[in-house]
Amino acid sequence: MFCYQCEQTQFDEGRHGCFGSRGACGKDAATSDLQDVLIHLCKGIAQYTAKARALGASDIEIDRFVSFAVFTTLTNVNFDAEKFVAWIHQAASVRDRAKAMYEAAAKEAGKPVEALSGPALFQPAADQAGLLAQAQETGILYGIEKLGENAVGLRSLLLFGVKGVAAYGHHASVLGEEREAVFAGIERALVSLSTEEADLGLLLEEGLELGRVNFTAMEALDKANTATFGSPVPTAVRVTPVKGKAILVSGHDLKDLLVLLKATEGTGINVYTHGEMLPAHGYPGLKKFPHLAGNYGGAWQDQQIEFAEFPGPIILTSNCLIKPTPKYKDRVYTLGPVGWPGVKHLSGEDYSAIIAHAQNLPGFTEDGADKTILVGFGREAVLSVADKVIGAVKDGAIKHFFLVGGCDGAKSGRNYFTDFAENAPKDTVVLTLGCGKYRFNKHDFGTVAGLPRLLDVGQCNDAYSALIIATKLAEAFGVGVNELPLSLIVSWFEQKAAAILLTLLALGVRNIRLGPTLPVFLTPALVNVLVEKFGIAPIGDANADIAACMARV
Ligand code: SF4
Ligand code: SF3
């Protein structure tokens, strides 16, 4: 195996990355290699669907399969090698369907059928051992001697970005919000990766194009969530337990939470959110359920301790899953793209097994002390007080905005983000999103100009909302986003962050501070390009960075 797609990748004296028998996330070598094979097949599917799409033919089922399959390879989503063997074989038959679609479209258009090469022709072996032998030629480093380190670095950024776009696309798709541009954009990036493209300029442009596609994917997801559940409203969320039976839901998929809330109505079971599910409490269509009792625990990396103590079943709807310990493994259920060997996986919307499981477990035996935090500051809630915000900036009551957002992780160096948020001067506002906020969202930030100083915009999936807030404020001030008194402090961990980074770069957002470390797949030469072209800076000392941001240096 070789994998360096996330921030917690291992380090050695040579190439940085996870190799050997298991990655730092717990992904074993077989699963990692099979994920590479699945991605290879998705490239082959994309080669045919791109040709078909150019002739006006497409198949939404094929497009959905590609998004789903690519999503399964995201960090902390699926660790089940057997599942990947099945998906690889399914991908081969999907590829054959895509090929037939292209050939029919060419025939109908009176065009010759082009013979494609590369992943389009890949024939997966019948069993896992055969697939693992084939995996040697499907990994991200394959051909690096010919392609060069820098090209492989940009190809990695493109591949990891496309994983993020596929995740956003899939979340929007399950709520019925789909965009041809997103499917075509995922396909375009995969086709680019199916070739031996090594031109750095072209690869960078492909990355920026994918960033634009991701903006559309995030817009679709925002529309899907707000059309289904209403726009988030500021909401106090209980962060302590309520006496009674309990189910915990983690991950990003709000639709799964809705199905569970409906299924548990009248059962006496309380539903708690975990991790990136926290922002669900702000949506009118979800908060209306009185048994959506509160939020439990902190960020994903603490789950082995917190899940062990939770007195009910736990549902993982998407990332981040880490190895369930024997203390709670039998209480974990996975949905959709998520999986762990030996953990129960639910297909369909029948939650009766989980409900019965919750009824048989003790639940919380007493109420915790009353303690709440505020969520629900999506674009509509923030922009509804735009006049107040603009007035406060103009009269000097608010000096600066910091967006301290992104993923959390287990590595040291992440205290920076806590220090940054907590040390930001009292006349500044801290916007946050993603799971990195768990390091500071129970801290009392107080208010400024009558507004809460900490505004939780939502999940990492809500980066679109933050971008709209920035764009609208910039319009109101008559300046560009880069001229606003706003600094972006981004913590990255997995591949959705790569997609968002590409979007920010494509939109021309400059001077982003990125940490806790820069992605290891970016070579020093590529980092130089990001610094020179886009003003990206690695994080440094929190207080010095706050001062530099406010002085706009
Ligand atoms: Fe390593 Fe991250 Fe890949 Fe897991 S996802 S194998 S931790 S680089
Ligand atoms: Fe977190 Fe996994 Fe990325 Fe959605 S839950 S931000 S890391």
Side-chain angles (χ1 to χ4, degrees):
M1 77 175 280
F2 177 80
C3 180
Y4 62 176
Q5 66 179 0
C6 84
E7 180 269 335
Q8 71 177 351
T9 196
Q10 288 154 356
F11 284 74
D12 79 347
E13 284 158 19
R15 183 175 296 287
H16 299 324
C18 292
F19 37 81
S21 60
R22 197 173 288 276
C25 59
K27 180 165 76 171
D28 65 25
T31 303
S32 182
D33 286 352
L34 293 168
Q35 288 182 349
D36 289 346
V37 176
L38 181 59
I39 290 289
H40 194 69
L41 269 155
C42 287
K43 292 177 196 168
I45 296 170
Q47 287 177 272
Y48 285 113
T49 54
K51 291 281 175 201
R53 206 179 299 274
L55 295 167
S58 62
D59 178 337
I60 190 82
E61 292 302 329
I62 296 178
D63 294 339
R64 285 178 187 151
F65 174 83
V66 171
S67 291
F68 176 82
V70 173
F71 184 8
T72 63
T73 70
L74 199 97
T75 297
N76 288 346
V77 170
N78 203 302
F79 300 80
D80 193 339
E82 270 180 32
K83 283 243 181 81
F84 283 100
V85 172
W87 284 326
I88 285 166
H89 290 131
Q90 192 182 349
S93 66
V94 169
R95 191 262 322 272
D96 293 345
R97 247 171 64 205
K99 179 172 187 266
M101 174 173 72
Y102 162 54
E103 289 172 356
K107 197 169 160 202
E108 202 177 311
K111 299 256 165 76
V113 172
E114 281 180 58
L116 303 184
S117 57
L121 303 181
F122 181 77
Q123 291 305 334
D127 59 11
Q128 192 180 122
L131 291 169
L132 292 178
Q134 290 177 313
Q136 306 317 315
E137 297 188 3
T138 60
I140 188 70
L141 296 185
Y142 185 69
I144 190 167
E145 300 77 14
K146 193 169 159 197
L147 296 165
E149 298 267 351
N150 293 327
V152 168
L154 281 180
R155 291 168 67 91
S156 300
L157 181 60
L158 190 60
L159 172 61
F160 305 151
V162 89
K163 292 188 181 197
V165 180
Y168 290 133
H170 176 77
H171 284 306
S173 171
V174 295
L175 285 168
E177 207 58 53
E178 299 179 316
R179 301 281 186 276
E180 172 88 9
V182 174
F183 292 132
I186 291 171
E187 179 183 279
R188 176 180 167 142
L190 289 169
V191 170
S192 178
L193 291 165
S194 76
T195 68
E196 294 183 348
E197 184 59 69
D199 183 293
L200 300 185
L202 284 178
L203 286 169
L204 184 59
E205 187 39 51
E206 283 299 328
L208 296 177
E209 176 57 26
L210 185 68
R212 291 184 273 274
V213 170
N214 188 49
F215 185 76
T216 305
M218 292 196 300
E219 176 272 322
L221 181 53
D222 179 277
K223 170 94 185 293
N225 287 337
T226 53
T228 312
F229 307 113
S231 284
V233 291
T235 303
V237 181
R238 189 181 174 100
V239 288
T240 52
V242 178
K243 185 176 171 184
K245 306 283 183 187
I247 297 176
L248 187 61
V249 191
S250 190
H252 300 73
D253 201 314
L254 299 180
K255 185 183 175 207
D256 292 333
L257 175 61
L258 175 67
V259 176
L260 176 72
L261 287 168
K262 285 183 177 166
T264 45
E265 253 181 326
T267 60
I269 298 169
N270 289 318
V271 174
Y272 293 82
T273 57
H274 173 264
E276 281 283 67
M277 246 340 142
L278 166 65
H281 294 271
Y283 287 92
L286 295 168
K287 65 182 275 185
K288 70 180 182 190
F289 292 92
H291 62 299
L292 182 60
N295 178 252
Y296 173 88
W300 62 267
Q301 70 273 11
D302 298 330
Q303 67 188 246
Q304 286 179 330
I305 295 166
E306 293 173 350
F307 286 2
E309 288 167 4
F310 188 79
I314 299 146
I315 303 173
L316 264 296
T317 69
S318 73
N319 51 311
C320 278
L321 169 68
I322 53 179
K323 183 182 181 180
T325 69
K327 284 187 180 154
Y328 64 89
K329 187 173 178 185
D330 69 322
R331 289 190 279 116
V332 178
Y333 293 80
T334 56
L335 302 180
V338 192
W340 189 280
V343 163
K344 293 177 279 290
H345 187 82
L346 279 197
S347 345
E349 298 189 347
D350 180 3
Y351 285 22
S352 51
I354 300 177
I355 291 169
H357 200 159
Q359 300 284 22
N360 285 329
L361 288 167
F364 289 105
T365 51
E366 54 189 51
D367 289 341
D370 278 348
K371 181 163 173 49
T372 59
I373 56 172
L374 267 182
V375 302
F377 292 94
R379 60 187 164 80
E380 215 173 280
V382 174
L383 294 173
S384 71
V385 292
D387 287 350
K388 206 170 168 183
V389 172
I390 291 162
V393 173
K394 285 192 171 153
D395 67 23
I398 296 178
K399 294 274 184 345
H400 206 86
F401 296 87
F402 296 106
L403 176 69
V404 184
C407 309
D408 205 351
K411 270 196 186 164
S412 60
R414 289 191 176 267
N415 286 345
Y416 169 91
F417 299 98
T418 315
D419 295 344
F420 196 106
E422 293 188 354
N423 293 350
K426 299 278 177 268
D427 53 4
T428 62
V429 171
V430 177
L431 296 136
T432 190
L433 53 81
C435 65
K437 63 172 164 263
Y438 273 100
R439 290 184 176 251
F440 52 79
N441 71 345
K442 293 184 180 98
H443 175 92
D444 183 6
F445 282 80
T447 58
V448 58
L451 295 164
R453 278 195 59 237
L454 180 71
L455 301 177
D456 185 350
V457 182
Q459 299 180 337
C460 62
N461 291 12
D462 296 308
Y464 173 81
S465 204
L467 278 169
I468 295 300
I469 291 169
T471 310
K472 295 285 179 203
L473 287 179
E475 276 171 23
F477 282 109
V479 297
V481 168
N482 291 319
E483 279 73 56
L484 279 177
L486 166 72
S487 305
L488 275 70
I489 319 298
V490 177
S491 60
W492 86 283
F493 171 70
E494 34 78 348
Q495 298 80 56
K496 285 193 262 184
I500 292 172
L501 181 65
L502 288 171
T503 300
L504 292 171
L505 301 184
L507 294 177
V509 178
R510 293 183 56 82
N511 302 329
I512 301 163
R513 281 180 161 74
L514 185 64
T517 52
L518 297 180
V520 294
F521 50 84
L522 296 178
T523 60
L526 296 174
V527 169
N528 276 345
V529 172
L530 292 184
V531 171
E532 277 165 25
K533 256 179 113 95
F534 303 102
I536 284 193
I539 60 168
D541 169 74
N543 288 323
D545 284 357
I546 290 170
C549 287
M550 294 190 68
R552 313 279 195 99
V553 288

